[in-house]
Coordinates of all heavy atoms in Angstrom, one line a residue:
D13 N 70.3 108.4 142.3 CA 69.3 108.4 143.3 C 68.0 108.9 142.8 O 67.0 109.1 143.6 CB 69.8 109.4 144.5 CG 70.1 110.8 143.9 OD1 69.9 111.0 142.7 OD2 70.6 111.6 144.7
Q14 N 67.9 109.0 141.5 CA 66.6 109.4 140.9 C 66.3 108.4 139.7 O 67.2 107.7 139.2 CB 66.6 110.8 140.3 CG 66.9 111.9 141.4 CD 67.0 113.3 140.8 OE1 66.7 113.4 139.6 NE2 67.3 114.2 141.6
T15 N 65.1 108.4 139.3 CA 64.7 107.5 138.2 C 65.3 108.1 136.9 O 65.1 109.2 136.6 CB 63.2 107.4 138.1 OG1 62.6 106.9 139.3 CG2 62.8 106.5 136.9
V16 N 66.0 107.2 136.2 CA 66.6 107.7 134.9 C 65.6 107.8 133.8 O 64.7 106.9 133.7 CB 67.7 106.7 134.5 CG1 68.2 107.0 133.1 CG2 68.9 106.7 135.5
R17 N 65.7 108.8 133.0 CA 64.8 108.9 131.9 C 65.5 108.3 130.6 O 66.6 108.7 130.3 CB 64.5 110.4 131.6 CG 63.8 111.1 132.8 CD 63.1 112.3 132.4 NE 62.0 111.9 131.5 CZ 61.0 112.8 131.1 NH1 61.0 114.0 131.5 NH2 60.1 112.4 130.3
S18 N 64.8 107.5 129.9 CA 65.3 106.8 128.7 C 64.4 107.1 127.5 O 63.2 107.3 127.7 CB 65.4 105.3 129.0 OG 64.2 104.7 129.3
F19 N 65.0 107.1 126.3 CA 64.3 107.5 125.1 C 64.6 106.6 124.0 O 65.8 106.2 123.8 CB 64.7 108.9 124.8 CG 64.4 109.9 125.9 CD1 65.4 110.2 126.8 CD2 63.2 110.6 125.9 CE1 65.1 111.1 127.9 CE2 63.0 111.5 127.0 CZ 63.9 111.7 127.9
T20 N 63.6 106.2 123.2 CA 63.8 105.3 122.1 C 62.9 105.7 120.9 O 61.8 106.2 121.1 CB 63.3 103.9 122.5 OG1 64.1 103.4 123.6 CG2 63.4 102.9 121.4
I21 N 63.5 105.5 119.7 CA 62.8 105.7 118.5 C 62.3 104.3 118.0 O 63.1 103.3 117.9 CB 63.7 106.3 117.4 CG1 63.8 107.8 117.7 CG2 63.1 106.1 116.0 CD1 62.6 108.6 117.4
G22 N 61.0 104.2 117.6 CA 60.4 103.0 117.1 C 60.1 103.2 115.6 O 59.9 104.3 115.1
M23 N 60.1 102.1 114.8 CA 59.8 102.1 113.4 C 58.7 101.1 113.1 O 58.7 100.0 113.7 CB 61.1 101.8 112.6 CG 62.2 102.8 112.9 SD 63.6 102.6 111.8 CE 64.7 103.9 112.4
S24 N 57.9 101.4 112.1 CA 56.8 100.5 111.8 C 57.3 99.2 111.1 O 56.6 98.2 111.2 CB 55.8 101.3 110.8 OG 56.6 101.7 109.6
D25 N 58.4 99.2 110.5 CA 58.9 98.0 109.9 C 59.6 97.2 110.9 O 60.6 97.6 111.6 CB 60.0 98.4 108.8 CG 60.4 97.2 108.0 OD1 60.3 96.1 108.5 OD2 60.9 97.4 106.8
P26 N 59.1 96.0 111.2 CA 59.6 95.1 112.3 C 61.1 94.8 112.1 O 61.8 94.4 113.1 CB 58.7 93.9 112.3 CG 58.1 93.9 110.9 CD 58.0 95.3 110.5
K27 N 61.6 94.8 110.9 CA 63.0 94.5 110.6 C 63.9 95.5 111.3 O 65.1 95.1 111.6 CB 63.3 94.4 109.1 CG 62.6 93.2 108.4 CD 63.1 93.1 107.0 CE 62.7 94.3 106.2 NZ 63.1 94.2 104.8
Y28 N 63.5 96.7 111.5 CA 64.3 97.8 112.0 C 63.8 98.3 113.3 O 64.4 99.2 113.9 CB 64.4 98.9 111.0 CG 64.9 98.5 109.6 CD1 64.0 98.4 108.5 CD2 66.2 98.2 109.4 CE1 64.4 98.0 107.3 CE2 66.6 97.8 108.1 CZ 65.7 97.7 107.1 OH 66.2 97.3 105.8
N29 N 62.8 97.7 113.9 CA 62.2 98.2 115.1 C 62.8 97.6 116.3 O 62.7 96.4 116.5 CB 60.7 98.0 115.1 CG 60.0 98.6 116.3 OD1 60.4 99.6 116.7 ND2 59.0 97.9 116.8
E30 N 63.4 98.4 117.2 CA 64.0 98.0 118.4 C 63.2 98.5 119.6 O 63.6 98.2 120.8 CB 65.4 98.4 118.5 CG 66.4 97.9 117.5 CD 67.8 98.3 117.7 OE1 68.2 98.6 118.8 OE2 68.6 98.3 116.7
A31 N 62.1 99.2 119.3 CA 61.4 99.8 120.4 C 60.7 98.9 121.4 O 60.7 99.1 122.6 CB 60.3 100.7 119.8
E32 N 60.2 97.8 120.9 CA 59.6 96.8 121.8 C 60.6 96.2 122.8 O 60.3 96.1 124.0 CB 58.9 95.7 121.0 CG 57.7 96.2 120.2 CD 57.0 95.1 119.5 OE1 57.4 93.9 119.7 OE2 56.0 95.3 118.7
A33 N 61.8 95.8 122.2 CA 62.8 95.3 123.1 C 63.3 96.3 124.1 O 63.6 96.0 125.3 CB 63.9 94.7 122.3
A34 N 63.5 97.6 123.6 CA 63.9 98.6 124.4 C 62.9 98.9 125.6 O 63.3 99.2 126.7 CB 64.2 99.9 123.6
S35 N 61.6 98.8 125.2 CA 60.6 99.1 126.2 C 60.7 98.0 127.3 O 60.5 98.3 128.5 CB 59.2 99.1 125.6 OG 58.2 99.2 126.5
A36 N 60.9 96.8 126.9 CA 61.0 95.7 127.9 C 62.3 95.9 128.8 O 62.2 95.6 130.0 CB 61.2 94.3 127.2
I37 N 63.4 96.4 128.2 CA 64.6 96.6 129.0 C 64.3 97.8 130.0 O 64.7 97.7 131.1 CB 65.8 97.0 128.1 CG1 66.1 95.8 127.2 CG2 67.0 97.5 128.9 CD1 67.1 96.1 126.1
A38 N 63.6 98.8 129.5 CA 63.3 100.0 130.4 C 62.4 99.5 131.5 O 62.6 100.0 132.7 CB 62.6 101.0 129.5
S39 N 61.5 98.6 131.2 CA 60.6 98.1 132.3 C 61.4 97.3 133.3 O 61.1 97.5 134.5 CB 59.5 97.3 131.7 OG 58.6 96.7 132.6
H40 N 62.3 96.5 132.8 CA 63.1 95.7 133.8 C 64.0 96.6 134.6 O 64.1 96.3 135.8 CB 64.0 94.8 132.9 CG 64.9 94.0 133.8 ND1 64.6 92.9 134.6 CD2 66.3 94.1 133.9 CE1 65.6 92.4 135.2 NE2 66.7 93.1 134.8
L41 N 64.6 97.7 134.0 CA 65.5 98.5 134.8 C 64.7 99.6 135.6 O 65.3 100.1 136.6 CB 66.4 99.3 133.8 CG 67.4 98.4 133.0 CD1 68.1 99.3 132.0 CD2 68.3 97.7 133.9
G42 N 63.5 99.8 135.3 CA 62.7 100.7 136.1 C 62.9 102.2 135.7 O 62.7 103.1 136.5
T43 N 63.2 102.5 134.4 CA 63.4 103.8 134.0 C 62.1 104.5 133.6 O 61.1 103.8 133.4 CB 64.3 103.9 132.7 OG1 63.6 103.3 131.6 CG2 65.6 103.1 133.0
E44 N 62.1 105.8 133.6 CA 61.0 106.6 133.1 C 61.1 106.6 131.6 O 61.9 107.4 131.1 CB 60.9 107.9 133.7 CG 59.7 108.8 133.2 CD 59.7 110.2 133.9 OE1 60.4 110.4 134.9 OE2 59.0 111.0 133.3
H45 N 60.4 105.8 130.8 CA 60.7 105.6 129.4 C 59.8 106.4 128.5 O 58.5 106.4 128.7 CB 60.6 104.1 129.1 CG 61.1 103.7 127.8 ND1 62.4 103.9 127.4 CD2 60.5 103.1 126.7 CE1 62.6 103.5 126.2 NE2 61.5 103.0 125.7
T46 N 60.4 106.9 127.4 CA 59.6 107.6 126.4 C 60.0 107.1 125.0 O 61.2 106.9 124.8 CB 59.9 109.2 126.4 OG1 59.6 109.7 127.7 CG2 59.1 109.9 125.4
E47 N 59.0 106.8 124.2 CA 59.3 106.3 122.9 C 58.5 107.0 121.8 O 57.4 107.6 122.1 CB 59.0 104.8 122.8 CG 57.6 104.4 123.0 CD 57.4 102.9 122.9 OE1 58.4 102.1 123.2 OE2 56.3 102.4 122.6
L48 N 59.0 107.1 120.6 CA 58.3 107.8 119.5 C 58.5 106.9 118.3 O 59.6 106.6 117.9 CB 59.0 109.2 119.3 CG 58.5 109.9 118.0 CD1 57.1 110.4 118.2 CD2 59.4 111.1 117.7
Y49 N 57.3 106.6 117.7 CA 57.3 105.8 116.5 C 57.3 106.7 115.3 O 56.6 107.7 115.3 CB 56.1 104.9 116.4 CG 56.3 103.5 117.1 CD1 56.3 103.4 118.5 CD2 56.7 102.4 116.3 CE1 56.5 102.2 119.1 CE2 56.9 101.2 116.9 CZ 56.8 101.1 118.3 OH 57.1 99.9 118.9
I50 N 58.2 106.4 114.4 CA 58.3 107.3 113.2 C 57.9 106.5 111.9 O 58.1 105.2 111.9 CB 59.8 107.8 113.0 CG1 60.8 106.7 112.9 CG2 60.1 108.7 114.2 CD1 62.2 107.2 112.5
T51 N 57.5 107.2 110.9 CA 57.1 106.6 109.7 C 58.2 106.9 108.6 O 59.1 107.6 108.8 CB 55.8 107.2 109.2 OG1 56.0 108.6 108.9 CG2 54.7 107.0 110.2
E52 N 58.0 106.3 107.5 CA 58.9 106.5 106.3 C 58.9 108.0 105.9 O 59.9 108.6 105.6 CB 58.5 105.7 105.1 CG 59.5 105.8 103.9 CD 59.1 104.9 102.8 OE1 58.4 103.8 103.1 OE2 59.4 105.2 101.6
D53 N 57.7 108.6 106.0 CA 57.6 110.0 105.7 C 58.4 110.9 106.7 O 59.0 111.9 106.3 CB 56.1 110.4 105.6 CG 55.4 109.9 104.4 OD1 56.1 109.6 103.4 OD2 54.2 109.9 104.4
D54 N 58.3 110.5 107.9 CA 59.1 111.3 109.0 C 60.6 111.3 108.6 O 61.2 112.3 108.8 CB 58.9 110.6 110.3 CG 57.4 110.8 110.8 OD1 56.8 111.8 110.5 OD2 57.0 109.9 111.6
A55 N 61.1 110.1 108.2 CA 62.5 110.0 107.9 C 62.8 110.8 106.6 O 63.8 111.5 106.6 CB 62.8 108.5 107.6
K56 N 62.0 110.8 105.6 CA 62.2 111.5 104.4 C 62.2 113.0 104.6 O 63.0 113.8 103.9 CB 61.1 111.2 103.4 CG 61.3 109.8 102.8 CD 60.2 109.5 101.7 CE 60.3 108.1 101.1 NZ 59.3 107.8 100.2
K57 N 61.4 113.5 105.6 CA 61.4 115.0 105.8 C 62.7 115.5 106.4 O 63.0 116.7 106.3 CB 60.3 115.3 106.8 CG 58.9 115.1 106.2 CD 57.8 115.4 107.2 CE 56.4 115.2 106.6 NZ 55.3 115.3 107.7
V58 N 63.5 114.6 107.0 CA 64.8 115.0 107.5 C 65.9 115.2 106.5 O 66.8 116.0 106.6 CB 65.3 114.0 108.6 CG1 66.6 114.3 109.1 CG2 64.3 113.8 109.7
I59 N 65.7 114.5 105.4 CA 66.8 114.5 104.3 C 67.2 115.9 103.9 O 68.4 116.1 103.8 CB 66.3 113.6 103.1 CG1 66.2 112.1 103.6 CG2 67.3 113.7 102.0 CD1 65.7 111.2 102.6
P60 N 66.3 116.8 103.6 CA 66.8 118.1 103.1 C 67.6 118.9 104.1 O 68.4 119.8 103.8 CB 65.4 118.9 102.9 CG 64.4 117.8 102.6 CD 64.8 116.7 103.5

């Protein structure tokens, strides 16, 4: 009975980026959508 909140991670490399498609799905469903684009450096910082 409330707008669902949805969350997606985007990547700069188009081969691995699903954010654009996810955004389109969120728009179609009418969710309150939040996305965050990450870089290669963002990913590397997690490794330790």
Side-chain angles (χ1 to χ4, degrees):
D13 56 2
Q14 300 179 4
T15 302
V16 171
R17 302 204 61 174
S18 56
F19 302 89
T20 297
I21 284 289
M23 300 184 183
S24 55
D25 189 334
K27 292 187 297 184
Y28 305 104
N29 184 34
E30 298 184 22
E32 292 183 5
S35 179
I37 294 169
S39 177
H40 174 74
L41 296 176
T43 68
E44 182 181 342
H45 191 59
T46 303
E47 62 182 28
L48 173 68
Y49 272 80
I50 61 173
T51 65
E52 183 177 336
D53 286 341
D54 293 327
K56 288 180 178 178
K57 289 177 182 177
V58 177
I59 294 175

